[in-house]
Amino acid sequence: MSFDPAAAVDVAALQASAGKHLWPHFTSRKVLNDGIPVITRGEGHMIYDAQGKGYIDGLAGLFVVNAGHGRDRIVQAAAKQMKQLDFMPIWSYAHPAAIELAERLASYAPGDLNRVFFTTGGGEAVETAFKLAKHYFKLKGKPMKHKVISRSVAYHGTPQGALTITGIPDMKKFYEPLTPGGFRVPNTNFYRADEMGGPSDDLEAFGQWAADRIEEMIEFEGPETVAAVFLEPVQNSGGCFPPPPGYFKRVREICDKHDVLLVSDEVICAYGRIGDFFACKALGYTPDIITSAKGITSGYVPMGAAIVSDRVYEPFNDVDNTFYHGITFAGHPAAAAAALENFDIFEEEKLNERVVENSPLFRAELEKLLDIDIVGDVRGEGYFFGIELVKDKTTKETFNEEESNRLLRDYLSPHLWDAGLYCRADDRGDPVIQLAPPLTIGPSEFAEIGGILRSVLKDASSKI
């Protein structure tokens, strides 16, 4: 019997089947035991469960559905492509949709980032950039350059190579030994500058201090051994750490000085999240490689891409030097067609401009929550914000692990969901609530999100 997504849903039967057969990602068995939520429909900025209850999608699925749910034209574009050509790999062959999409991505990228290597997701894009950096330096006669630097608490994916770059110890401990060569430097959480040993009274000085720690690590390890620095424009894990003024300018200078590649990991931040197709353009720096995924198709079909500078591509522009790396479904015809239609929507509806215009209003709405006892900090850029929760606002004392679990998992997550808001309560670092809604929302939705957060956070503050 074929699956019919429009058919009536037996929720209990689906939950029982999920408990027996489905292995959800990053999910405790408790969720399956309690009856995992079953989502059946999405429209605009709303998602609906099997009982028909609606929720504001405050996380765009998972930082993905940037153009919003229910875009028939993206579905039709993918379907039309599949009727003409359902599949063809881009291994020694090409098809028009992949070619057109590569050209379009290059037109959006800054500087000389003109070469596009497709993947099927963000972890693969990071893995691609890691391998490419090592291969590049071997071809340039610097075979010892293999180490990579990233920031504390940063998430860059879960494949074995990407996991080396990820800076979250609890996500790595079960899979060691990892690919060697990953090293960590401080992140740009200005709210916690004191704890990191950086200047806490001057944001720009803190940014210079944090950037200088990258040079310090390169020099300590030896520039002849360091291949790349991987940085998100706005760091996700830990709760939306924006770059201080001048931070990336200084990082670019450091990388150029020591012949180290700068990789802008934009799996979350690209495609409008910060107000441009690529966040590095919005923030004013030019990397050597951009890794991306998620919003490239607004989630309608899985896809990712690494966009590479002409300089890094140069040694591969030779019949004797092949990059021995590939993914079967990368550059899939349907995914490429979906991405092209997604970008048409972006341009026609001026979604990037919408984010730039409305971001200050979103921030202002969230900053109203700072009068709640447990709300310590609100930070972010574009349509990507984090709310850090604290035990004591005066001292910035955070919650211990048990308290954080009780606050986030036992209270905030279920109560926000019950109140009609899907977002992320995260404890990779200090406890935060993260918001990254579809780029189609505006002031009225900001107020609705703010109202739900206020009600639940005030209640939590009085009970935790």
Side-chain angles (χ1 to χ4, degrees):
M1 185 173 64
S2 61
F3 171 69
D4 181 1
V9 172
D10 183 335
V11 180
L14 284 172
Q15 289 174 330
S17 179
K20 293 179 181 178
H21 304 295
L22 183 66
W23 197 332
H25 298 194
F26 292 103
T27 301
S28 163
R29 177 69 213 187
K30 182 179 184 298
V31 175
L32 287 167
N33 292 344
D34 292 347
I36 192 167
V38 179
I39 309 304
T40 59
R41 186 168 67 88
E43 186 65 34
H45 64 275
M46 299 292 294
I47 54 174
Y48 298 85
D49 66 18
Q51 289 92 352
K53 180 180 177 181
Y55 307 82
I56 296 173
D57 185 356
L59 204 61
L62 192 62
F63 315 100
V64 170
V65 192
N66 290 359
H69 298 274
R71 294 283 193 170
D72 285 343
R73 56 187 286 188
I74 299 180
V75 176
Q76 294 304 317
K80 181 180 178 181
Q81 172 61 61
M82 292 181 76
K83 287 180 181 178
Q84 181 173 335
L85 178 65
D86 47 11
F87 176 73
M88 189 66 198
I90 52 173
W91 298 36
S92 301
Y93 297 87
H95 56 81
I99 296 170
E100 183 179 345
L101 180 58
E103 181 178 1
R104 197 154 175 185
L105 288 169
S107 75
Y108 293 147
D112 68 340
L113 280 83
N114 291 312
R115 306 289 177 164
V116 179
F117 191 101
F118 287 116
T119 68
T120 61
E124 289 176 354
V126 171
E127 195 85 2
T128 297
F130 190 5
K131 290 177 70 175
L132 179 58
K134 291 196 285 188
H135 195 161
Y136 167 79
F137 281 114
K138 285 178 172 56
L139 293 178
K140 297 296 285 186
K142 299 181 177 181
M144 293 303 294
K145 289 177 82 72
H146 68 284
K147 297 174 184 176
V148 288
I149 294 170
S150 60
R151 294 183 291 204
S152 173
V153 199
Y155 178 83
H156 293 281
T158 54
Q160 280 288 106
L163 199 57
T164 290
I165 306 170
T166 288
I168 307 169
D170 281 350
M171 296 189 71
K172 301 148 75 86
K173 61 186 179 183
F174 297 110
Y175 314 110
E176 294 172 332
L178 301 175
T179 304
F183 297 88
R184 236 62 59 207
V185 294
N187 56 49
T188 59
N189 184 2
F190 185 55
Y191 185 66
R192 298 286 177 185
D194 273 338
E195 298 169 24
M196 290 188 277
S200 59
D201 57 350
D202 184 327
L203 179 59
E204 188 166 353
F206 170 71
Q208 295 299 298
W209 173 87
D212 286 343
R213 301 289 73 74
I214 295 174
E215 181 165 44
E216 183 178 77
M217 182 64 76
I218 291 171
E219 292 177 339
F220 181 81
E221 290 300 318
E224 72 282 0
T225 71
V226 179
V229 174
F230 281 73
L231 303 174
E232 294 169 279
V234 178
Q235 182 173 319
N236 164 38
S237 183
C240 301
F241 305 147
Y247 174 79
F248 273 108
K249 180 177 184 293
R250 177 70 182 124
V251 171
R252 180 72 268 180
E253 291 170 353
I254 292 166
C255 289
D256 289 342
K257 175 181 175 181
H258 297 291
D259 194 17
V260 171
L261 300 184
L262 174 56
V263 181
S264 188
D265 184 358
E266 305 199 15
V267 171
I268 287 176
C269 291
Y271 312 118
R273 183 56 53 195
I274 311 299
D276 204 320
F277 283 106
F278 293 111
C280 56
K281 284 183 72 176
L283 297 173
Y285 67 97
T286 301
D288 300 292
I289 302 172
I290 298 171
T291 55
S292 70
K294 294 188 183 288
I296 189 171
T297 68
S298 282
Y300 284 73
V301 187
M303 192 175 218
I307 300 92
V308 180
S309 70
D310 288 339
R311 176 172 77 93
V312 174
Y313 181 78
E314 182 271 329
F316 299 94
N317 195 22
D318 186 308
V319 295
D320 294 325
N321 296 330
T322 298
F323 183 37
Y324 285 103
H325 179 63
I327 300 135
T328 298
F329 294 108
H332 192 286
L340 289 165
E341 194 68 28
N342 182 48
F343 293 156
D344 284 347
I345 291 171
F346 265 73
E347 293 181 356
E348 292 166 18
E349 299 184 11
K350 300 186 183 301
L351 293 185
N352 287 321
E353 293 86 344
R354 181 184 184 87
V355 170
V356 172
E357 179 182 352
N358 284 332
S359 178
L361 303 178
F362 196 6
R363 182 189 298 276
E365 188 67 46
L366 297 177
E367 286 179 343
K368 293 177 184 177
L369 303 171
L370 287 166
D371 65 354
I372 299 173
D373 287 345
I374 61 172
V375 175
D377 192 31
V378 172
R379 54 184 177 252
E381 295 284 346
Y383 274 23
F384 186 27
F385 286 98
I387 302 167
E388 182 168 335
L389 307 176
V390 295
K391 196 171 181 177
D392 187 311
K393 290 179 74 164
T394 303
T395 65
K396 301 182 184 178
E397 180 187 359
T398 191
F399 296 92
N400 64 37
E401 184 176 355
E402 180 184 350
E403 292 167 337
S404 183
N405 280 333
R406 190 153 46 92
L407 173 64
L408 297 177
R409 292 182 176 80
D410 296 343
Y411 195 87
L412 288 178
S413 287
H415 282 77
L416 287 168
W417 179 253
D418 289 344
L421 176 62
Y422 164 61
C423 58
R424 187 178 205 173
D426 192 12
D427 64 350
R428 297 174 301 172
D430 296 309
V432 296
I433 293 173
Q434 286 183 296
L435 295 158
L439 312 184
T440 51
I441 75 168
S444 62
E445 291 83 16
F446 301 157
E448 192 173 357
I449 290 170
I452 293 172
L453 287 167
R454 173 168 293 279
S455 174
V456 174
L457 287 169
K458 283 192 72 174
D459 200 29
S461 183
S462 67
K463 293 180 177 179
I464 299 301

